[in-house]
Amino acid sequence: MAHGLAEEVAGRLGGALEARGGASLVVTGGTTAGPLYDRLCRARIAWDRIFVTLSDERWLPAGSSDLNETLVRQRLLVNNAERARFTPLKADARTAAEAESKINWTIAALRKPFDVTLLGMGADGHVASLFAGGEGVERAMDLSDPALVRAVRYDRAAGSAERMTLTLRALLESRFIALMIRGADKRAAYHKALTGPAGAHPLPVRALLHQDAVPVGVYWAP
């Protein structure tokens, strides 16, 4: 999966560079993404013209090993990809809510639509930090909300309950979304998300799968 998806992403970014002179890439954290980044960072493309940001971030001190940014800096923004222009989802603020406005303006300044958006998925069906039942998540999934980022809180989230996440509106402002899934439990959650009415989102990933504005490629490995 990591090898095939690395080729897919590199090809799409290369096509964007050729067609538009620059490219943008949204990346995710999590253990599934690491092996992909180990391969993607070696792609021979003009990384200095590629803008990279995160789908979501845990609200933790700078340098924390649990930050998605730490994973991305250690395993993607190295080798050929060290020249990419990275925009974190953090700011100098005590809480994510206090930084929401500043980060929204920062993400608004990036080139869009994002050429590629990489997302993992939890066994509970969450993508980015859009957790069903999380505080602030309903607002973050409201397509009528103009915000590109929202501060959310989910007490059962690993690493940190307090998060900053791209909104559903921002995620759908992409030319292509790649959804990475590993394991039987996540595959079962994916199939569950494919069923049921399109307007109901008990599993947040369903909002991506039941829309026709952006193509979504699903990549699975056991």
Side-chain angles (χ1 to χ4, degrees), residues 23-158:
S24 52
L25 170 66
V26 175
V27 295
T28 184
T31 56
T32 302
L36 164 64
Y37 298 157
D38 293 340
R39 292 161 174 79
L40 185 57
C41 70
R42 293 179 169 83
R44 296 182 177 178
I45 52 180
W47 284 102
D48 58 320
R49 291 189 279 132
I50 296 176
F51 295 84
V52 179
T53 193
L54 287 160
S55 65
D56 63 318
E57 185 59 279
R58 297 161 174 168
W59 207 256
L60 296 169
S64 170
S65 60
D66 286 331
L67 284 172
N68 291 338
E69 178 179 343
T70 300
L71 169 71
V72 170
R73 288 191 181 279
Q74 290 177 347
R75 300 183 69 172
L76 175 62
L77 302 177
V78 294
N79 297 314
N80 294 338
E82 69 178 352
R83 295 172 294 144
R85 304 181 187 187
F86 179 65
T87 299
L89 283 189
K90 286 296 296 293
D92 186 15
R94 185 178 57 87
T95 68
E98 292 173 358
E100 198 175 69
S101 179
K102 181 177 181 179
I103 295 176
N104 186 76
W105 281 108
T106 299
I107 298 303
L110 296 180
R111 73 160 54 226
K112 286 181 285 299
F114 299 119
D115 291 290
V116 179
T117 292
L118 296 172
L119 295 172
M121 187 198 76
D124 59 358
H126 83 267
V127 291
S129 282
L130 301 174
F131 293 88
E135 182 181 335
V137 171
E138 183 175 354
R139 188 180 186 188
M141 295 186 66
D142 182 356
L143 292 177
S144 67
D145 184 352
L148 298 175
V149 299
R150 283 295 182 194
V152 298
R153 183 178 183 87
Y154 187 66
D155 289 338
R156 287 181 286 172

